[in-house]
Amino acid sequence: MRPLVQAGHSAGRAAGATALAHANIAFIKYWGNRDDDARLPANPSLSMALEALHTVTTVLFDDRLAQDEVTIDGRPASPAARARVSRQLDLVRRCAGWFAAARVVSRNNFPSGVGLASSASAFAALTLAACAAAGLQLDESQLSALARRASGSACRSVPGGFVEWEMGQDEASSFAHSLAPPDHWQLYDVIVLVSSSPKPVSSADGHRLAAGSPLQVARLSAVPGLLAACRQAVLNRDLAALGAIIEQDALLMHAVMLTSQPPLIYWSPATLEVLQAVREWRARGVPTYFTMDAGPNVHLICEAAGAAEVAALAARLPGVLSVLVSAPGGPAHLVEE
Ligand code: PMV
């Protein structure tokens, strides 16, 4: 991988690169780790990259910088966010054998911290940009495994289209790969925003609570069957089959969240309004199915032909702030800036 900028300075070296990665929506959720430090997941998962939601990140390693500087959406990152970025950069620095501090500038084209998986696109873009800037030659699997260290779902934002993350046995074998490219199926995600405030408990903290729910064991035993059926439904482009699976899987994850200690209640009254409406619309012949992540917003999955109607119906519901519509997206890639 070739850095986009490379310059020699009397005081040292500087090299930078810019990468773009899409957010993803999981159809089979990742919830809980069997190893928190290495972020080895408790179960495999399956997702779709979201064309309309992306993060663009520039990383410039510079020997003259005293410490990492991180800007997110035009503002200096909080100390916690900067520490998380620095931890990921440390992994890249160790692999590259170049220990320069970095200037990181990251921009999301969608609201972050509201359960729209901004950490997935952010850390996939950061990992790709940092590796390119440091001159590391990694293939897609290695990049995905490295992105996983910062945020599990980030490993699924490295490949494009419909993506499966196998659990793997260890650090190197736990990565995501593409099951089908974005043009395999014009499946849309109509994202219904009912809140724009940051979630009270981050998913990183939520994963640690999963094992404390007596329902996590039941969820984990259901995942292999749901995953196999989900993979088949995606390959067959079978929305009715996919819809039943994603709704059950999302509710299983929220059942675990609701029964953790302390309980994680991510839903708001508007979340339930949307879930109830989806059933009514389906009964009236509008084929759409819901899923949710660690937040109150709802993702409505439908085919391209129905997306405009689903978005219009959702926008009229009480408590809905806005609606975003996304087609399947491509893989993370370097961009010129
Ligand atoms: O990657 P994390 O730690 O932000 O976890 C993501 C968890 C969910 O979004 C709730 C589920 C998933 O598989 O994306």
Side-chain angles (χ1 to χ4, degrees), residues 25-28 44-47 156 163-164 179 227 230-231 234:
I25 179 65
F27 295 156
I28 299 295
S45 53
L46 196 155
S47 59
R156 297 191 314 241
V163 172
E164 186 169 338
L179 270 182
L227 177 72
C230 183
R231 189 189 302 122
V234 167

Side-chain angles (χ1 to χ4, degrees), residues 26 28-31 119 151-153 156 203-204 207 253 257 293-294:
I28 299 295
K29 305 294 182 187
Y30 148 57
W31 196 245
S119 66
S151 164
S153 58
R156 297 191 314 241
S203 44
H207 289 294
M253 179 180 73
M257 291 165 162
D293 281 339

Side-chain angles (χ1 to χ4, degrees), residues 25-32 114-115 199-201 203 206 209-210 213-216 219 246-268 271-272 275 290-299:
I25 179 65
F27 295 156
I28 299 295
K29 305 294 182 187
Y30 148 57
W31 196 245
V114 296
K199 48 194 171 193
V201 178
S203 44
L209 300 178
S213 162
L215 301 186
Q216 174 74 338
R219 187 184 82 86
I246 67 174
E247 291 194 350
Q248 190 182 16
D249 183 79
L251 292 172
L252 278 168
M253 179 180 73
H254 278 272
V256 169
M257 291 165 162
L258 289 165
T259 49
S260 294
Q261 296 295 328
L264 294 176
I265 307 174
Y266 283 115
W267 296 359
S268 70
T271 309
L272 280 170
L275 302 195
F290 66 77
T291 184
M292 291 152 292
D293 281 339
N297 302 312
V298 184
H299 295 250

